[in-house]
Amino acid sequence: MNSFIYNVSILKKVFKSGFYKTFLVFLALLSFILFDLFDSPVPITIYSLRFALGLLFTNFLAIIWFLYQIGVTIYFSYLYFFYEVDNSLEFILLRTDFFHFVLKKFIFLEMLLIVFRILFYCFLHFLFFKNVTFTVLFFMINIGVHVFVSTITFLVFIIFHSRF
Amino acid sequence: MKIEVRNVSKAFKKNIVLEDVNITFEDGYIYGFKGRNGSGKTVLLKIICGIYKATKGQVLYDEKEYNKATEYVPEVRALIEKPCFFPDLTGFENLKLLAKIQNKIGEKEIINALEEVNLIEEKDKKFSKYSLGMKQKLGIAQVIMENPHILILDEPFNALEKESVEKIKKFLLKEREKGKIIIISSHMEGDLESFADKIFNFEGGKVE
């Protein structure tokens, strides 16, 4: 429970410290996509690729949308993992085995990402189920890519931390 | 307990911050680190705590070197640079969260620590509402609440009113009598002379 409160407090602080600005970009992109979706005669299958965030990019907007989400995941993971480094690291480092501590943080983040991606997928499904085909494969990619990039960010953090 | 800083050097790329520093800290003394800003005091404190790795040399606690990735030095608490707590939690809740990591103390000890630093009346205020001095006091409370054997304080009296400075100094003197090791840094003239047993001057990466 303590670990949960601690991690939620970090998330709140990270969000308030400027991460929320990425949501403004998100809203802008979403409105572009909605505009594009309802005003264009492009076949539905193309949208299925776009919204499921598959590896096949159908147009420039789909690439931007995909890269934006990857960027947000990397940025958020970076802020989250490096939180203690910039904020009184000694409070934690002198109280517990740091590797064990960050491993717990990593697990928390992965769980959060998976839940968020599922909710996000459901949200898009709810919004676009009439226009877009959603498949299980794209659902898995949607989660897997983000878990992968956050894991890479975690490994970068571990390498960075061990060098100092 | 004995802390030995042996031939420690630290460089950030080509910028040498500390050069061949040798200091031994023993029980029952207050040690002062004096020097202007950027003279390497904080870097050495960070090396002692295990936040930074020394480029050369080592820090030994009773002849043992700790690997910061998998171990932590027992009985050390520190406040280095400005204290960062969660702004949406109260001072008390912030301390409770840290105390829960080791689960060695209860609310009573946290209250005692807050009393020692003159912050008891503001304990239920959110950290975001704290003044600079209150934040500093909370950082010091975080150091003392678990009754550690080694206390490391980097510029602890910054932004504190005279009354609180005197109270904290008195507390630290009492802790010294109990045989604890206290290391304090300051760039202010006269901050340390009145109560530190040994003072080290930092200049150009060298320590005298």
Side-chain angles (χ1 to χ4, degrees):
Chain A
M1 190 58 190
N2 180 54
S3 171
F4 180 78
I5 295 170
Y6 182 83
N7 282 302
V8 169
S9 299
I10 294 180
L11 295 180
K12 276 165 81 176
K13 209 171 166 184
V14 163
F15 191 80
K16 283 184 178 173
S17 71
F19 181 76
Y20 69 91
K21 286 175 192 158
T22 60
F23 272 82
L24 302 177
V25 182
F26 165 75
L27 290 175
L29 272 172
L30 195 67
S31 46
F32 274 124
I33 288 169
L34 285 171
F35 183 77
D36 193 37
L37 177 65
F38 295 118
D39 274 8
S40 136
V42 180
I44 280 171
T45 48
I46 291 178
Y47 289 108
S48 71
L49 294 173
R50 182 181 302 168
F51 285 108
L53 313 174
L55 297 173
L56 299 168
F57 301 115
T58 50
N59 66 14
F60 181 68
L61 195 58
I63 295 170
I64 295 290
W65 177 237
F66 179 77
L67 291 179
Y68 161 75
Q69 291 190 69
I70 295 295
V72 166
T73 302
I74 293 171
Y75 180 50
F76 184 78
S77 307
Y78 165 80
L79 291 176
Y80 177 73
F81 289 131
F82 280 80
Y83 174 79
E84 283 84 11
V85 174
D86 300 325
N87 294 280
S88 297
L89 178 59
E90 70 275 14
F91 291 2
I92 301 298
L93 199 68
L94 295 170
R95 286 188 168 87
T96 185
D97 158 4
F98 197 64
F99 183 72
H100 191 227
F101 175 80
V102 291
L103 202 64
K104 274 200 224 165
K105 272 184 77 174
F106 171 69
I107 293 166
F108 180 85
L109 182 72
E110 295 311 312
M111 283 165 58
L112 184 83
L113 263 180
I114 291 168
V115 170
F116 176 76
R117 297 305 308 180
I118 289 171
L119 290 176
F120 188 59
Y121 189 89
C122 293
F123 166 71
L124 289 179
H125 194 285
F126 175 74
L127 214 58
F128 302 113
F129 71 98
K130 282 183 184 161
N131 311 67
V132 179
T133 311
F134 289 89
T135 69
V136 175
L137 174 69
F138 291 141
F139 176 70
M140 296 310 287
I141 290 172
N142 172 46
I143 294 174
V145 168
H146 294 272
V147 167
F148 178 73
V149 293
S150 61
T151 306
I152 295 295
T153 314
F154 174 68
L155 294 175
V156 169
F157 167 72
I158 292 289
I159 293 165
F160 169 86
H161 185 69
S162 62
R163 284 184 64 192
F164 272 84
Chain B
M1 188 173 245
K2 192 162 83 172
I3 312 169
E4 281 176 88
V5 175
R6 271 194 207 160
N7 309 108
V8 164
S9 298
K10 179 69 183 177
F12 294 100
K13 294 186 178 165
K14 283 182 181 171
N15 178 27
I16 299 167
V17 182
L18 292 170
E19 217 178 329
D20 202 27
V21 177
N22 286 283
I23 304 176
T24 302
F25 303 98
E26 287 174 335
D27 288 346
Y29 288 98
I30 296 177
Y31 296 90
F33 285 4
K34 203 172 129 187
R36 59 184 171 76
N37 290 329
S39 59
K41 306 181 300 289
T42 302
V43 172
L44 184 59
L45 292 179
K46 285 188 175 183
I47 291 171
I48 293 171
C49 290
I51 294 172
Y52 286 160
K53 260 186 198 167
T55 312
K56 274 189 207 158
Q58 53 190 169
V59 176
L60 303 171
Y61 285 83
D62 281 340
E63 297 294 323
K64 181 177 167 24
E65 193 175 11
Y66 285 84
N67 173 0
K68 69 166 178 174
T70 52
E71 297 172 296
Y72 61 97
V73 189
E75 294 296 315
V76 182
R77 292 291 179 267
L79 171 64
I80 296 175
E81 294 173 330
K82 73 177 173 69
C84 290
F85 290 95
F86 293 121
D88 294 337
L89 301 182
T90 66
F92 182 74
E93 285 167 341
N94 266 296
L95 294 188
K96 210 169 152 188
L97 207 55
L98 288 174
K100 283 273 179 196
I101 296 174
Q102 291 197 333
N103 235 349
K104 285 199 316 198
I105 58 164
E107 293 189 359
K108 192 180 151 212
E109 287 82 358
I110 298 173
I111 299 281
N112 287 346
L114 288 166
E115 272 170 359
E116 290 294 352
V117 297
N118 259 354
L119 197 64
I120 195 69
E121 282 170 25
E122 290 86 10
K123 79 176 174 66
D124 295 322
K125 250 191 194 175
K126 282 193 174 178
F127 183 70
S128 57
K129 304 278 180 213
Y130 275 15
S131 68
L132 212 62
M134 288 177 194
K135 288 177 180 174
Q136 191 72 356
K137 287 179 187 176
L138 193 67
I140 298 170
Q142 170 274 143
V143 171
I144 66 176
M145 68 180 179
E146 286 159 308
N147 193 25
H149 188 72
I150 301 161
L151 294 89
I152 297 175
L153 299 160
D154 185 20
E155 309 274 2
F157 307 129
N158 277 359
L160 295 192
E161 73 277 15
K162 208 175 166 192
E163 185 199 341
S164 296
V165 170
E166 290 311 316
K167 192 169 181 189
I168 292 165
K169 278 185 178 176
K170 221 180 254 179
F171 172 81
L172 294 175
L173 287 168
K174 265 196 291 175
E175 294 298 287
R176 178 187 66 179
E177 297 313 312
K178 291 179 195 165
K180 297 190 177 183
I181 300 174
I182 298 156
I183 307 171
I184 298 182
S185 80
S186 178
H187 69 278
M188 302 282 282
E189 277 295 324
D191 245 7
L192 303 170
E193 283 76 357
S194 59
F195 80 121
D197 300 302
K198 291 180 186 177
I199 296 177
F200 297 97
N201 286 300
F202 285 64
E203 208 176 323
K206 302 268 187 194
V207 179
E208 292 164 0

